[in-house]
Amino acid sequence: MKKPLVGALFTVLLLGAGIAPATAAAGHDAAATGTVQTELRPKAVNFAGTVALSNCSGSVVRTPDSQPSDPALVLSNGHCMESGFPGPGEVVFDQPSTRSFTLLNASGSGVGTLRASKIAYGTMTDTDISVYQLTRTYAQIESSYGIKALELNTAHPVQGTAITVVSGYWKRTYACNVDGFVYRLKEGAWTWKDSVRYTSACQTIGGTSGSPVIDNATGKVVAVNNTGNEDGQQCTDNNPCEVDESGNVTVRQGINYAQETYGIVPCIGAGNKFDLSRPGCALPKP
């Protein structure tokens, strides 16, 4: 896992607290007829809607069906929960929490504090996610701060997609592409299924755990950043290894990974309530 504060003081001296957000430019193509066609204009990727936790990064998220009056949700990693790392097979579900989050605006400045009412869902089995329910609705957050939630994409990520990892903890972005997908990613006692592997440009560090991975073209969240192989070791803590369907193991030192988030969407029903019995919901159950 990208442990929250490993080398934090040294890193902040080197990097500073604020790095300009990445933006993508629009392009134009001339058709054979001589007419000019405008391509899909990529969304500007910035810090709006991301949050800083005490030890990790995160984001305020919504599903396509979430309503303005619904209590807002914050997405981060399972290993970022205040209760500590959940064990293999453990699921935290509908548990009280008063955790606080610093909400960031587009430039990365903290504009307010959000507070949880509960951990709606958290696990490190098959995936590495935590989802907190807040005491405020999306409408209240937008009214107070002018900030909208990030939308969870409903489809599996695509290889080659240009992405940005946005860390609210460090106020830093990392731009790269989806390099591919890992059948099983093993780290210490935990195993994650169908993980996203980044190209080498995304050199995420401790404290970036829980950062939303945003598709530059749509502005939607396709994954949540969670780990990387730091020392070249095989399948140990902070050194995940890739295992294919035949059991072959590959170690990629310096390469980082994320967990897909499209599978969260079918598990959230009316009122933003987690319902693990909903059709299409495949998240591990308590």
Side-chain angles (χ1 to χ4, degrees), residues 197-211:
R197 180 177 61 241
Y198 306 143
T199 52
S200 59
C202 277
Q203 290 295 305
T204 50
I205 60 174
T208 63
S209 286
S211 300

Side-chain angles (χ1 to χ4, degrees), residues 122-142:
T123 193
M124 288 177 64
T125 298
D126 295 350
T127 185
D128 183 9
I129 61 169
S130 60
V131 181
Y132 289 83
Q133 181 175 299
L134 302 184
T135 58
R136 298 195 202 183
T137 66
Y138 296 115
Q140 288 170 334
I141 292 172
E142 187 172 356

Side-chain angles (χ1 to χ4, degrees), residues 120-245:
Y121 186 89
T123 193
M124 288 177 64
T125 298
D126 295 350
T127 185
D128 183 9
I129 61 169
S130 60
V131 181
Y132 289 83
Q133 181 175 299
L134 302 184
T135 58
R136 298 195 202 183
T137 66
Y138 296 115
Q140 288 170 334
I141 292 172
E142 187 172 356
S143 176
S144 295
Y145 308 111
I147 294 173
K148 295 179 180 291
L150 301 175
E151 185 174 329
L152 295 173
N153 197 21
T154 59
H156 190 285
V158 177
Q159 187 174 13
T161 297
I163 54 174
T164 304
V165 183
V166 187
S167 171
Y169 184 90
W170 287 114
K171 302 179 177 65
R172 184 180 180 189
T173 61
Y174 302 80
C176 60
N177 295 79
V178 175
D179 186 51
F181 305 97
V182 182
Y183 176 70
R184 296 290 185 268
L185 190 66
K186 294 181 65 68
E187 179 174 342
W190 296 275
T191 300
W192 303 307
K193 297 179 178 179
D194 195 22
S195 303
V196 174
R197 180 177 61 241
Y198 306 143
T199 52
S200 59
C202 277
Q203 290 295 305
T204 50
I205 60 174
T208 63
S209 286
S211 300
V213 180
I214 297 175
D215 182 331
N216 293 352
T218 65
K220 295 180 181 181
V221 177
V222 296
V224 58
N225 180 66
N226 81 308
T227 195
N229 188 293
E230 298 180 0
D231 307 311
Q233 296 177 18
Q234 181 174 301
C235 313
T236 63
D237 289 351
N238 304 312
N239 292 280
C241 63
E242 300 182 11
V243 183
D244 68 16
E245 294 180 74

Side-chain angles (χ1 to χ4, degrees), residues 34-67:
T35 59
V36 176
Q37 296 179 329
T38 302
E39 295 178 347
L40 176 67
R41 183 181 295 272
K43 305 288 185 181
V45 177
N46 56 46
F47 296 99
T50 64
V51 299
L53 286 68
S54 58
N55 59 348
C56 286
S57 300
S59 56
V60 180
V61 296
R62 63 183 297 274
T63 74
D65 294 330
S66 294
Q67 299 300 308

